[in-house]
Amino acid sequence: MPHRIGDLYQRHAHAFDAARRRSFPERAWLEKFVRTIPRGGQILDLGCGGGEPVDRFLIDRGYRLTGVDIAPAMIKLARTRFFRHNWIEADIARFGAESSAYDGIVAWSSLFHLEHEYQDKLIQRMAIWLKRGGVALFNTGPENGVSLGELGGEELFHASLSPGEYRAIFAKSGLAELAHRIADPDCGGMTVWLVGKV
């Protein structure tokens, strides 16, 4: 399934990127996310797309970015825009990073493209990659289930666990829930999680 997602984003990279540059509903959550991250801190963006608008927001505030995306066209856009930062073409479900390397991790509109078991594994790996006191921001669906969205008129896979299941993963991974909102009306109806490594 992730490879099909990659092919889909590759085919529609420029149209998706153009639409994404005009929409920034998660800005308030990102402002909350960076409050505890020191200026110059290292941030990992899993599913970075072309780097707009999330990575531009972070880079403009003095953070060092490592972005990961499965679609080569997306990585090319990010490298062109922000050549001083690190951009990696990889499947986030299989990506490996150095232990305790990051002050913050973002997985915005990317984690929910993974099947349930891979979400569980990736959240556990995110906990390992975070420095103590580091924070992670991501969004999910509001309940356990699978749904199909669309991108460029093609079906786009989404999956989510229940809030209780995510909290169980946090508990076994050494993550503490800092903020959570189901179907946040101020964020395009997205269900958002902010967690920290204790």
Side-chain angles (χ1 to χ4, degrees):
M1 184 62 69
H3 297 293
R4 292 178 59 193
I5 296 287
D7 291 343
L8 187 57
Y9 276 103
Q10 178 68 12
R11 285 195 297 277
H12 300 286
H14 291 280
F16 174 84
D17 180 71
R20 194 67 179 93
R21 292 174 76 184
R22 296 190 298 269
S23 176
F24 196 14
E26 66 273 40
R27 183 186 183 106
W29 279 97
L30 281 164
E31 288 172 349
K32 189 176 294 189
F33 167 72
V34 299
R35 279 178 197 153
T36 60
I37 302 176
R39 187 174 179 84
Q42 297 285 335
I43 295 178
L44 174 65
D45 184 355
L46 296 167
C48 63
E52 296 274 12
V54 170
D55 297 322
R56 182 175 295 280
F57 173 91
L58 297 169
I59 289 166
D60 285 351
R61 280 151 185 78
Y63 297 105
R64 296 293 306 165
L65 263 290
T66 296
V68 181
D69 202 279
I70 196 171
M74 294 293 194
I75 289 296
K76 184 177 180 181
L77 285 168
R79 283 180 180 150
T80 300
R81 289 169 178 152
F82 310 110
F83 60 90
R84 297 183 187 277
H85 297 263
N86 188 27
W87 308 102
I88 301 168
E89 182 188 326
D91 179 350
I92 64 170
R94 294 171 175 80
F95 173 71
E98 293 181 24
S99 177
S100 300
Y102 298 100
D103 300 284
I105 298 175
V106 179
W108 195 263
S109 293
S110 57
L111 183 76
F112 59 29
H113 287 318
L114 303 181
E115 293 166 337
H116 293 148
E117 65 184 282
Y118 290 105
Q119 292 190 34
D120 183 333
K121 291 175 182 176
L122 182 55
I123 292 169
Q124 291 185 64
R125 294 205 312 279
M126 287 163 62
I128 293 169
W129 301 336
L130 279 173
K131 296 177 182 177
R132 188 166 300 279
V135 290
L137 177 70
F138 60 94
N139 59 316
T140 67
E143 59 190 10
N144 187 302
V146 171
S147 65
L148 293 175
E150 69 89 23
L151 178 61
E154 299 185 66
E155 289 185 344
L156 183 62
F157 176 85
H158 298 88
S160 183
L161 300 167
S162 69
E165 288 170 311
Y166 284 117
R167 289 183 174 113
I169 299 169
F170 304 156
K172 70 183 178 183
S173 304
L175 296 171
E177 182 181 331
L178 304 176
H180 170 56
R181 190 157 191 197
I182 294 175
D184 184 353
D186 297 323
C187 190
M190 297 179 181
T191 294
V192 187
W193 299 88
L194 180 66
V195 298
K197 184 171 181 177
V198 295

